[in-house]
Amino acid sequence: MEDHNQQVQVVGLTETEVTSVEDVLRLIALGNSARTSGTTSANQHSSRSHAIFQLILRVNNPRRQLHGKFSLIDLAGNERGADTSTSDRQTRMEGAEINKSLLALK
């Protein structure tokens, strides 16, 4: 969804301050635990959800402000109908939703 400034807004998105590598790894593990995967005829471990992890660098020094953003993005697998012909209805519906969301990124 876009807000009134045409900036993309993600429902449920959170920003957490970290101070160590362990904090970052804990957040990645937490995000991975919330993801879903399933089996299709095309892929034994098919990711059924997208994941975005952003690391934003900020220094609160008035004389020197360092800003940077590093984004890790893992998109759910693109499912071709021909590859999922033996899948159940739920898997086909998930594939259709994944493909629809990928098309929105174009």
Side-chain angles (χ1 to χ4, degrees):
M1 265 199 299
E2 290 183 1
D3 64 12
H4 64 281
N5 293 322
Q6 295 183 333
Q7 296 294 312
V8 174
Q9 299 297 315
V10 179
V11 175
L13 186 69
T14 60
E15 185 172 313
T16 305
E17 184 174 338
V18 296
T19 58
S20 67
V21 172
E22 290 78 18
D23 288 347
V24 172
L25 294 175
R26 181 181 50 78
L27 288 173
I28 290 173
L30 179 65
N32 277 335
S33 70
R35 297 193 71 195
T36 58
S37 64
T39 301
T40 68
S41 58
N43 188 349
Q44 188 81 5
H45 303 286
S46 180
S47 174
R48 310 311 288 166
S49 60
H50 303 315
I52 300 171
F53 185 84
Q54 289 187 327
L55 185 61
I56 301 170
L57 303 175
R58 296 184 181 117
V59 174
N60 293 323
N61 181 335
R63 293 184 295 161
R64 181 171 181 226
Q65 289 191 349
L66 172 66
H67 298 283
K69 185 188 292 187
F70 183 71
S71 300
L72 299 171
I73 301 170
D74 182 13
L75 300 176
N78 184 7
E79 305 289 344
R80 295 184 323 149
D83 293 336
T84 60
S85 59
T86 60
S87 300
D88 63 16
R89 184 177 191 285
Q90 177 66 31
T91 302
R92 288 193 310 271
M93 294 299 289
E94 286 175 354
E97 289 299 315
I98 290 167
N99 290 342
K100 186 166 66 172
S101 67
L102 292 172
L103 285 172
L105 298 174
K106 279 187 147 187

